[in-house]
Amino acid sequence: MPSTDLHLDSDGTRDLTEEQISSDELVDGVLLNVYRDKVRTPDGESSVREWIDHPGASAIVPVFEDGSTILIRQFRYPARRTFLEVPAGKIDRPDEDPADVAARELEEETGWKADTFDHLASSYPCIGYSNEVIHFFLATGLTRGEQDLSDGEFVDVVQMPIEKAIRLAKNGELRDMKTVTALVYAAARLSED
């Protein structure tokens, strides 16, 4: 049975930090790397952690002056289904500003540009197996740009009232977690105004 006699942090909570002992790269992918690490647990024992190294991403909730927003419809191969999602994309370089990623992805995926990207929050969507962080933005001051999809990328742009998108997120009709999270963050920010 594991010991409950663990070191306490300065604030009086137990130190639950796990220390890496060794790491084996299982997959060196185009987007993701997968590792199997041996770790020392807080009780001094060892365990195995498999995890995905992800560069991070930005997700955007664009809001037009008339109160509408844009979502995209896109087929996602791992889930084998089409999802309605907020525009989003990965960070391409470690030093890339998440707001710059948001601006790039909004225009590439939807054909719209924004004057303002208001950072809503940053969250870890898959803490059990990935270090991915998604940075969420509210985009306003929208003007036409030029859609520029990557090879093999197919999306439909869907415009709807922001209230409808938030309702779809809250009642479980949207199944993509980053989209649900983005819309809940946006709803909270918009209710402050």
Side-chain angles (χ1 to χ4, degrees):
M1 182 163 159
S3 169
T4 57
D5 224 8
L6 304 176
H7 170 56
L8 296 182
D9 284 333
S10 59
D11 65 358
T13 59
R14 293 189 306 159
D15 180 1
L16 302 176
T17 304
E18 296 179 350
E19 178 185 331
Q20 182 187 67
I21 298 169
S22 64
S23 184
D24 293 315
E25 186 175 44
L26 305 177
V27 175
D28 180 10
V30 175
L31 169 64
L32 307 169
N33 295 334
V34 181
Y35 295 90
R36 180 179 295 129
D37 291 1
K38 185 175 180 182
V39 300
R40 184 161 330 286
T41 56
D43 62 359
E45 299 296 319
S46 64
S47 192
V48 173
R49 302 288 184 250
E50 292 178 343
W51 63 283
I52 298 169
D53 183 30
H54 188 288
S58 292
I60 311 99
V61 179
V63 179
F64 290 90
E65 287 184 20
D66 68 0
S68 63
T69 190
I70 292 174
L71 299 178
I72 61 170
R73 283 184 68 250
Q74 184 169 218
F75 182 81
R76 293 298 194 166
Y77 184 79
R80 308 293 200 276
R81 60 174 291 169
T82 300
F83 289 86
L84 198 56
E85 308 174 41
V86 294
K90 74 176 182 67
I91 294 172
D92 288 337
R93 299 179 325 274
D95 64 340
E96 192 171 22
D97 185 330
D100 293 341
V101 175
R104 178 188 72 227
E105 293 297 328
L106 177 64
E107 185 172 11
E108 284 180 5
E109 291 189 348
T110 71
W112 288 91
K113 295 180 185 183
D115 290 336
T116 305
F117 288 88
D118 184 17
H119 185 257
L120 299 170
S122 297
S123 297
Y124 291 83
C126 310
I127 59 174
Y129 60 86
S130 177
N131 65 351
E132 178 183 12
V133 176
I134 300 179
H135 307 277
F136 296 94
F137 294 88
L138 186 69
T140 55
L142 297 164
T143 56
R144 270 284 180 205
E146 188 173 324
Q147 188 180 42
D148 184 23
L149 299 174
S150 302
D151 290 340
E153 184 178 26
F154 302 91
V155 303
D156 290 334
V157 177
V158 178
Q159 192 164 352
M160 68 177 66
I162 186 76
E163 295 85 8
K164 179 179 179 182
I166 292 167
R167 189 173 60 252
L168 292 172
K170 287 182 175 181
N171 71 19
E173 291 184 56
L174 299 178
R175 305 291 298 276
D176 171 51
M177 188 54 70
K178 82 174 173 313
T179 297
V180 172
T181 302
L183 289 167
V184 169
Y185 283 147
R189 180 65 54 87
L190 293 169
S191 70
E192 294 173 358
D193 296 339

